[in-house]
Amino acid sequence: MPSPAETLLKPLTIKHLTLRNRVMSTSHAPGYGSDGKPKERYQLYHEEKAKGGIALTMFGGSSSVAVDSPAAPWNQISVADDSVIPFFREFSDRVHRHGAALMIQLTHMGRRTRWDTENWLPTVSASARREPAHRNTPKEMEDWDFKRIVAGFAAAARRCKEGGLDGFELSAAHGHLIDQFWSPSVNRRTDKYGGSLENRMRFGIEVFEAIRAEVGDDYIVGMRMSGDELIDDGLTNEDCVAIARSYAERGLIDFVNVLGGQARDHMAHAVSLPNMSFPVAPFLHLPSSIKREVGIPVFHAQRVTDLATAARAVEEGHVDMVAMTRAHIADPHLVRKLAEGRLDDVRQCVGAGYCIDRIYVGGDALCIQNAATGREATMPHVIAKAAARRRVLVVGAGPAGLEAARVCAERGHSVLLLERAAAAGGQIAVAAKATWREALTGIPRWLTQQALKLGVEIRYGVEATAALVEAENPDLVILATGGRPDRGDFPGSDLAVSAWDVLTGAVEPAGSVLLYDGTGQHHGASCAEFMATRGALVEIATPDRMVAEEVGTTNQPIHLRELYRLGVMMTTNHTLVEIYPEGNRRVAVLRNDYTHEEEERLVDQIVVELGTLPNDGLYFDLKELAANRGEIDLDRLLAGRPQPVPDRGFALYRIGDAVAGRNIHAAIYDAARLCKDL
Ligand SMILES: Cc1cc2nc3c(=O)[nH]c(=O)nc-3n(C[C@H](O)[C@H](O)[C@H](O)COP(=O)(O)O)c2cc1C
Ligand code: SF4
């Protein structure tokens, strides 16, 4: 078997375009658009992948071609008028300079969007069938809709060509307009666009024919589609193979980009963007089934997170181009590292889904573990050396401390990292104990390995004290001592144990358990699942309107599926106000947040999840000894300027949950942003 580098670094030619290797990123909508345009932030994000060796980067997930498929809701790109062309030109030049190709995804979202933004136009679809995920019932398309939307696609295609892009794909995947026509789950028409598969394919064919008439046969045009909608009333694998074959044989498309599933509802969406609960490459058989039947290159993305799996997908002939989309969000330089034989240095995507989950609550895509992604204007992916080498002491080997140690070592400083526990990871080590979240351990594993490689000295089992810190005579002290569970201060709160106690194994769940989740984050749901798998009878109660309310759209469905499967009872809209003992059992008093009526639960154990409070004892012991009294100059921090250098003693900085309980990304960003300039 050839090495991953031998397989993946082979070029692929599509028409006149030679892609320098087999690794690409599929189009995604990171929420970096501004006024519907890909401006500097968007361009720098993709330029970084081009610098990192990628062959083809596709931007502009779900870029719109018509006014009733608005770009505004997720800060996307609008290709519905000519004003976007200069941005495309600048963007293509920027990416081409580094030897990569640049394409976009064009689409009309049909019913898969919102009507209550931007233009306030009703959504349209093949039939007036409600889309559960976007909560809207579209208008059934009439003759003049067909005409203007087909023309909109053709005009958008022209803009891509004029903008110097190497090509584009049309999305007929995830339940966009073209596949809304294909799918019997949506299309109930009785005219020439409904009924037989041939009729259901007609709208898409008309779109591609209009595009070809506009851009000619030489321009590269592809299609993204599902290889099996994976729903009872949807397109089967057989249907999808027939569609791909038909479009390819008509000469309409130059490549087909195949994925598994579609995204009409919450669970389907989670399946189409598989998180860490899925095995790697779970749907590779679907592009493979289409590749056997078409003579054009086949692309595929879906949880190909490591280069060995990517190489296997190409080497065994399942795909021609392997997309590592989130893998590039986690590490935009992964192809360069492959070429340089530095596979160990690749920061592998762990499948946390933080990137995608943020955009569904109106945010921008950020990687849970790589604070530079999407922030290329201010945060470097390659850390520069400092002018002077300094002695840095970091306390705490959770994500914040490990990232601080890594970045300081990259700066060329001498770094000592002290950790109280016997191993690194901090709260990640606790979270990863829960059923399907084990892959989180990849984050501290990579950070630790990098820190050691860069010469960081790590001492485990050491409780740092002020005296010990002073004895090391450091120039800089970075405290990343993390948090401890907040146990609440309501009457009887001392009778509860924390979710940490359970996940770390300090307390064994037994009998009937009430888990009170005050944060709606992963930890409460994870802990409930963990206890149920160990045989406990579990009820989860929360003041939120649903369980795991803060968990994002590709993760929450997995929690809900597991909680239902394990028979966990779910009680929403209730606050835990009191606990009192009854014999050796406990009574939990839950108050309805709306009626204020109280209910009681007699159980064997009560577990609370209320987030963390900072471990800040060492910080306050050191504060008056430090030259800067622990102060971080926030203006300098935000401006990307170094902190003032003390003229005596050491400077002290506190980062991560040791300041205030937040999340893994915040801890890593705290560390990287501060340390890149120290
Ligand atoms: C933030 C984000 C936004 C996405 N938006 C789109 C989109 O607009 N259109 C699309 O076809 N796919 C979209 N995707 C899906 C990706 O193209 C890709 O199919 C998915 O991430 C699975 O591949 P991966 O496991 O290599 O990341 C998005 C993915 C992410 C992470
Ligand atoms: S947030 Fe998670 S899923 Fe997204 S790129 Fe980073 S590691 Fe991968």
Side-chain angles (χ1 to χ4, degrees):
M1 186 91 170
S3 70
E6 282 171 287
T7 301
L8 293 173
L9 298 179
K10 277 192 198 128
L12 176 77
T13 300
I14 306 177
K15 285 188 167 162
H16 54 276
L17 178 70
T18 299
L19 300 171
R20 60 181 160 181
N21 58 57
R22 302 305 185 96
V23 186
M24 61 175 285
S25 167
T26 48
S27 282
H28 51 289
Y32 302 161
S34 164
D35 308 322
K37 310 287 188 290
K39 295 186 185 169
E40 195 186 30
R41 180 183 187 192
Y42 213 137
Q43 295 185 22
L44 289 175
Y45 165 64
H46 283 276
E47 185 180 8
E48 199 67 42
K49 299 178 219 250
K51 280 188 206 164
I54 202 167
L56 165 63
T57 188
M58 299 184 83
F59 73 105
S62 310
S63 297
S64 71
V65 300
V67 287
D68 51 357
S69 178
W74 296 280
N75 290 323
Q76 281 161 274
I77 308 299
S78 169
V79 195
D81 65 65
D82 285 359
S83 63
V84 79
I85 296 172
F87 294 90
F88 283 179
R89 290 201 180 120
E90 188 187 31
F91 202 166
S92 346
D93 287 348
R94 202 189 272 270
V95 166
H96 289 157
R97 271 201 294 275
H98 303 284
L102 182 69
M103 296 192 193
I104 191 176
Q105 178 181 83
L106 300 178
T107 198
H108 192 296
M109 308 283 283
R111 64 178 194 163
R112 190 173 164 70
T113 187
R114 300 183 66 106
W115 51 264
D116 59 348
T117 62
E118 207 172 337
N119 301 321
W120 280 74
L121 291 169
T123 64
V124 295
S125 187
S127 302
R129 304 266 301 163
R130 186 172 172 80
E131 207 233 37
H134 290 78
R135 300 169 174 278
N136 81 75
T137 307
K139 178 189 95 158
E140 177 168 311
M141 271 169 61
E142 51 189 308
D143 47 4
W144 55 271
D145 289 315
F146 282 92
K147 217 169 139 197
R148 71 178 171 82
I149 292 174
V150 168
F153 269 112
R158 171 183 57 79
R159 290 173 193 124
C160 296
K161 193 173 174 183
E162 286 180 15
L165 304 182
D166 295 290
F168 62 83
E169 71 177 11
L170 287 201
S171 174
H174 294 115
H176 290 207
L177 185 58
I178 292 178
D179 46 320
Q180 285 162 31
F181 271 85
W182 291 348
S183 181
S185 69
V186 186
N187 188 340
R188 302 298 162 96
R189 300 178 77 98
T190 51
D191 60 7
K192 65 176 182 177
Y193 296 103
S196 66
L197 182 59
E198 202 184 330
N199 277 356
R200 284 182 277 127
M201 284 196 296
R202 191 180 311 279
F203 168 62
I205 290 170
E206 287 177 359
V207 169
F208 277 104
E209 284 174 347
I211 284 172
R212 278 292 176 212
E214 186 70 43
V215 296
D217 285 339
D218 291 343
Y219 197 58
I220 296 177
V221 177
M223 176 166 76
R224 192 165 209 198
M225 64 177 291
S226 179
D228 186 336
E229 287 199 304
L230 303 172
I231 47 172
D232 291 345
D233 53 350
L235 295 166
T236 62
N237 176 238
E238 227 176 25
D239 295 330
C240 294
V241 172
I243 293 170
R245 200 190 305 117
S246 167
Y247 279 63
E249 279 171 1
R250 286 166 204 263
L252 296 173
I253 50 175
D254 302 309
F255 65 85
V256 60
N257 182 3
V258 181
L259 52 84
Q262 45 79 60
R264 69 172 171 189
D265 56 44
H266 305 307
M267 193 62 219
H269 194 194
V271 170
S272 74
L273 262 142
N275 70 3
M276 64 175 70
S277 69
F278 289 77
V280 291
F283 302 119
L284 188 57
H285 58 289
L286 296 175
S288 191
S289 69
I290 287 181
K291 187 165 158 54
R292 283 195 291 273
E293 300 289 331
V294 298
I296 52 173
V298 172
F299 304 174
H300 172 65
Q302 247 161 349
R303 202 160 150 64
V304 177
T305 51
D306 65 286
L307 287 158
T309 304
R312 182 174 72 79
V314 174
E315 187 59 36
E316 292 180 357
H318 304 294
V319 300
D320 297 284
M321 290 292 291
V322 60
M324 303 182 72
T325 305
R326 283 172 293 174
H328 272 88
I329 295 178
D331 191 339
H333 294 176
L334 66 82
V335 177
R336 183 169 59 76
K337 291 176 182 174
L338 169 73
E340 292 170 359
R342 296 167 50 213
L343 285 178
D344 283 356
D345 290 339
V346 173
R347 189 185 322 221
Q348 202 171 306
C349 167
V350 298
Y354 187 70
C355 47
I356 176 87
D357 287 354
R358 281 180 56 83
I359 70 162
Y360 280 93
V361 287
D364 48 353
L366 294 171
C367 179
I368 195 168
Q369 55 175 329
N370 187 343
T373 297
R375 296 195 180 101
E376 283 74 13
T378 57
M379 295 287 298
H381 283 277
V382 178
I383 309 288
K385 288 268 177 280
R389 182 174 162 91
R390 297 200 263 173
R391 281 177 62 83
V392 180
L393 175 63
V394 181
V395 183
L402 287 169
E403 176 73 345
R406 180 188 78 87
V407 175
C408 287
E410 290 274 18
R411 299 277 291 149
H413 301 315
S414 126
V415 185
L416 171 63
L417 172 57
L418 304 180
E419 167 57 46
R420 180 170 56 181
Q427 290 180 55
I428 293 182
V430 181
K433 300 268 189 224
T435 52
W436 52 268
R437 305 198 71 225
E438 199 270 332
L440 281 176
T441 53
I443 299 173
R445 198 165 43 246
W446 184 82
L447 289 170
T448 308
Q449 170 242 335
Q450 289 291 300
L452 290 172
K453 202 168 166 180
L454 290 161
V456 173
E457 183 191 348
I458 308 183
R459 290 187 207 151
Y460 292 109
V462 178
E463 178 86 50
T465 60
L468 202 152
V469 168
E470 281 196 295
E472 290 294 335
N473 196 24
D475 301 310
L476 306 170
V477 177
I478 301 170
L479 296 187
T481 43
R484 60 183 193 285
D486 181 356
R487 291 166 190 275
D489 56 1
F490 52 87
S493 54
D494 55 319
L495 295 172
V497 299
S498 74
W500 282 33
D501 294 329
V502 174
L503 289 173
T504 55
V507 171
E508 187 59 33
S512 58
V513 185
L514 179 95
L515 185 144
Y516 178 69
D517 183 9
T519 69
Q521 264 293 352
H522 279 286
H523 320 294
S526 282
C527 185
E529 292 157 27
F530 177 82
M531 293 189 293
T533 54
R534 296 171 93 84
L537 191 64
V538 185
E539 175 178 356
I540 182 166
T542 171
D544 290 330
R545 291 175 301 168
M546 56 182 158
V547 166
E549 185 163 310
E550 278 286 298
V551 176
T553 184
T554 62
N555 280 290
Q556 195 207 31
I558 307 297
H559 277 307
L560 293 179
R561 183 192 67 197
E562 291 305 293
L563 292 167
Y564 281 116
R565 195 175 63 77
L566 293 162
V568 173
M569 214 177 115
M570 295 183 243
T571 302
T572 54
N573 303 323
H574 282 76
T575 298
L576 177 62
V577 291
E578 186 182 351
I579 300 174
Y580 63 87
E582 192 158 299
N584 58 1
R585 305 187 81 201
R586 307 275 183 261
V587 176
V589 183
L590 296 170
R591 181 179 294 156
N592 184 304
D593 292 323
Y594 301 94
T595 65
H596 291 181
E597 276 173 22
E598 293 189 350
E599 300 174 11
E600 295 193 338
R601 303 281 194 275
L602 176 63
V603 290
D604 297 311
Q605 215 170 46
I606 296 174
V607 181
V608 294
E609 167 51 36
L610 296 169
T612 63
L613 294 171
N615 280 328
D616 50 13
L618 180 60
Y619 173 77
F620 286 106
D621 288 348
L622 286 170
K623 181 170 174 169
E624 297 307 328
L625 303 173
N628 64 338
R629 300 186 63 255
E631 181 177 348
I632 295 179
D633 183 326
L634 296 181
D635 292 333
R636 284 172 179 256
L637 182 78
L638 298 190
R641 286 188 293 130
Q643 295 293 308
V645 180
D647 48 15
R648 60 174 179 87
F650 63 88
L652 173 70
Y653 305 108
R654 181 164 59 133
I655 57 172
D657 283 6
V659 184
R662 286 158 291 157
N663 66 15
I664 297 170
H665 179 81
I668 287 178
Y669 188 28
D670 269 11
R673 180 162 53 170
L674 174 76
C675 298
K676 77 180 185 353
D677 299 313
L678 289 181

